[in-house]
Amino acid sequence: MTPAVALPAPRRLTDLLSSGAPVRAKRSREAMDQPRTDEDQPLVARAQAGDAAAFDDLVVKYSPRLYGLIYNMTSNHEDTDDMLQDVFAKAYKAIKGFRGKSSFYTWIHTIAVNMTLNFLKKRGRRYHLSLDDVDASIQNDKEFIELTSTTSPVREADLGELQRRLNEAMMKLSDEHRAVVTMFHIQGMPHAEISKILGVSEGTVRSRLFYANRQLQNYLDEFRKNPVG
């Protein structure tokens, strides 16, 4: 088995909840919708031929992205560490059977998402969002400037309420909806890529995103209208 690698810090909750999210999401989609070439093919071919160093290069390349994906689905560092090792262990065993019908990028993400969804079903519904995961764009929103500019009991109470409501909103999402939110808003994947990874239609991806975004935004809008209490 390939040696373990140092794991990066998780990605933060993105600005899907902030007022500027639609513009940023559109730009991300436009960039990601460009045809993807499988630049990993040489490394994959070497790994399939038994070159452990080539597989290690793939591990190093994809660890940051997959860590962010798994962490934002599990919201637990220890679970993420374990899951990431399991994902690469499975990929290492299965890589000789990889035929290139999709890019390696899609293949490894499919393994990660499916294994994480299976893990979440066994683990049950447990989610906790730290204030450290609240994206800076939310805190820089004009309605939050006064709240975040000074330390006060009111500020602490409001940030605590924001955390509670975001936790509640995410808890109401199914694992599948959370996966789509993570891939689209945090990973910046286009609908077509998510469709391939999940094995569902692009229409299903859009439907899940619409439902999840509306639910999360409703919780934040409610907080903005009445931040205290």
Side-chain angles (χ1 to χ4, degrees), residues 143-157:
E143 299 183 39
F144 284 87
I145 291 178
E146 182 176 353
L147 171 65
T148 58
S149 61
T150 60
T151 299
S152 67
V154 172
R155 172 182 179 276
E156 295 301 324

Side-chain angles (χ1 to χ4, degrees), residues 26-192:
K26 181 178 179 182
R27 290 173 181 170
S28 176
R29 287 197 302 274
E30 289 173 349
M32 291 292 292
D33 279 334
Q34 298 303 313
R36 179 186 296 279
T37 58
D38 194 359
E39 59 187 24
D40 300 313
Q41 197 280 330
L43 285 176
V44 171
R46 287 169 49 198
Q48 289 176 321
D51 186 344
F55 188 81
D56 286 344
D57 287 343
L58 291 169
V59 171
V60 171
K61 177 178 180 179
Y62 283 100
S63 284
R65 188 173 184 86
L66 293 182
Y67 192 100
L69 173 67
I70 297 170
Y71 177 79
N72 281 285
M73 290 175 66
T74 65
S75 194
N76 183 280
H77 293 290
E78 292 183 2
D79 289 343
T80 301
D81 291 340
D82 293 340
M83 283 299 305
L84 189 59
Q85 295 298 332
D86 290 345
V87 165
F88 283 122
K90 182 172 183 178
Y92 184 76
K93 294 177 181 178
I95 196 166
K96 288 187 177 180
F98 175 61
R99 296 290 177 256
K101 293 182 179 179
S102 66
S103 66
F104 180 81
Y105 172 99
T106 299
W107 185 73
I108 194 68
H109 278 76
T110 300
I111 292 175
V113 170
N114 287 336
M115 290 184 68
T116 305
L117 287 173
N118 288 335
F119 168 79
L120 289 172
K121 286 181 174 65
K122 294 178 182 178
R123 187 187 74 173
R125 305 302 298 279
R126 174 165 58 87
Y127 187 88
H128 177 73
L129 178 67
S130 168
L131 286 177
D132 291 337
D133 293 316
V134 177
D135 192 87
S137 62
I138 297 175
Q139 298 183 46
N140 290 332
D141 187 282
K142 64 180 182 179
E143 299 183 39
F144 284 87
I145 291 178
E146 182 176 353
L147 171 65
T148 58
S149 61
T150 60
T151 299
S152 67
V154 172
R155 172 182 179 276
E156 295 301 324
D158 282 348
L159 288 177
E161 180 68 6
L162 171 61
Q163 175 175 316
R164 184 183 72 80
R165 295 196 185 190
L166 287 175
N167 283 333
E168 288 179 352
M170 293 300 291
M171 280 293 290
K172 289 180 181 295
L173 297 181
S174 69
D175 296 332
E176 288 75 14
H177 282 97
R178 193 186 306 162
V180 172
V181 167
T182 299
M183 285 186 281
F184 184 78
H185 289 293
I186 298 176
Q187 299 278 295
M189 296 182 187
H191 297 128

